[in-house]
Amino acid sequence: MKLLGWITSLAVAGSLAVLGCSEMPLASSGSLKPTGVGTHPGGVLTAAYQGTLIPKKGDQLAMFAMGCFWGSEGTFRKVKGVVATAVGYSGGTTPNPTYEMVCSGTTHHAEAVLVEFDPKVVTYNQLLEVFWASHDPTTLNQQGPDIGEQYRSAIFYLSPEQKAAAEATAKAEQKTLHSAISTRIKPASTFYPAEDYHQQYAEKVGHSTCPPPRRPVRGVGMRDGG
């Protein structure tokens, strides 16, 4: 498994990012370096769960899919208490998928963001608030201009407590909506880290890459006025 790095060639990103949110222009400077929330090197978390984030003592993990993972990761990196993030592919059937394979629709993966957070600063329920507020959970396999199974809305829970919280907040959110929620609430399966150029993409290019939040985030501390 490749380790996640801070510095990735924007030239490579420009040549490989051919689908999804990739229509957004790249920043002209090749010296951009992500700031703020860090990343941790890869490793095996359990026998059945592969991941790029090994949580520090006291930290927890969460995994979400809500459209283009460039924007999803950028959103969670603004949350106070989020320690590290990584984007990748989960919920599919093909081992070790590439971005091009996922975009073809044959692997059935979702573009997902893995979030390490400090529960003393931000709770899992607060992360769920960010999730529900930051995308349209009623559009099946679509977020804005991005269409395909990889852009589906999903919560991949890592414990019975996370499952219960996800289901409870889904019921509460449904009461505020006119259309049925299509979000899938599933146990977390293998998380395959995306290629290096996808990691912290919004920070590398210097601007947000995906649609703005559907509604204001309530009761959650955000960095940089997010």
Side-chain angles (χ1 to χ4, degrees):
M1 182 188 301
K2 293 183 179 180
L3 299 183
L4 297 182
W6 280 122
I7 303 176
T8 303
S9 168
L10 291 179
V12 173
S15 64
L16 292 177
V18 294
L19 294 173
C21 299
S22 59
E23 294 180 1
M24 299 300 295
L26 292 174
S28 59
S29 172
S31 61
L32 291 175
K33 183 177 180 180
T35 59
V37 180
T39 58
H40 294 166
V44 176
L45 301 181
T46 71
Y49 185 83
Q50 226 174 347
T52 56
L53 299 181
I54 302 174
K56 295 181 295 185
K57 184 177 180 180
D59 287 352
Q60 297 177 16
L61 294 176
M63 195 197 306
F64 305 99
M66 52 187 201
C68 171
F69 53 17
W70 296 346
S72 302
E73 183 184 39
T75 295
F76 281 105
R77 287 173 71 82
K78 294 179 182 178
V79 178
K80 292 180 179 179
V82 168
V83 175
T85 60
V87 296
Y89 315 113
S90 195
T93 56
T94 303
N96 302 307
T98 65
Y99 184 58
E100 288 72 19
M101 291 167 64
V102 171
C103 287
S104 73
T106 60
T107 74
H108 309 296
H109 286 88
E111 292 193 11
V113 56
L114 189 63
V115 178
E116 178 183 350
F117 65 100
D118 181 349
K120 298 187 296 296
V121 180
V122 62
T123 66
Y124 183 69
N125 274 66
Q126 288 176 312
L127 294 181
L128 287 169
E129 162 63 18
V130 175
F131 170 82
W132 294 116
S134 300
H135 77 299
D136 185 349
T138 69
T139 53
L140 181 65
N141 298 337
Q142 178 178 0
Q143 288 299 314
D146 297 323
I147 301 174
E149 189 177 18
Q150 77 199 74
Y151 301 115
R152 65 185 181 268
S153 173
I155 300 170
F156 298 109
Y157 59 84
L158 285 85
S159 69
E161 293 77 16
Q162 287 192 357
K163 178 184 179 183
E167 292 175 341
T169 57
K171 290 180 181 179
E173 192 70 21
Q174 183 63 78
K175 294 178 180 179
T176 71
L177 300 170
H178 298 294
S179 300
I181 285 175
S182 64
T183 303
R184 305 174 195 180
I185 300 175
K186 299 288 186 180
S189 57
T190 302
F191 175 87
Y192 296 101
E195 295 80 354
D196 285 349
Y197 72 91
H198 288 298
Q199 307 299 334
Q200 296 85 57
Y201 185 84
E203 293 173 36
K204 288 172 180 171
V205 301
H207 58 71
S208 179
T209 58
C210 289
R214 177 175 60 86
R215 62 168 171 79
V217 179
R218 299 184 290 257
V220 181
M222 306 293 284
R223 297 183 175 98
D224 301 324

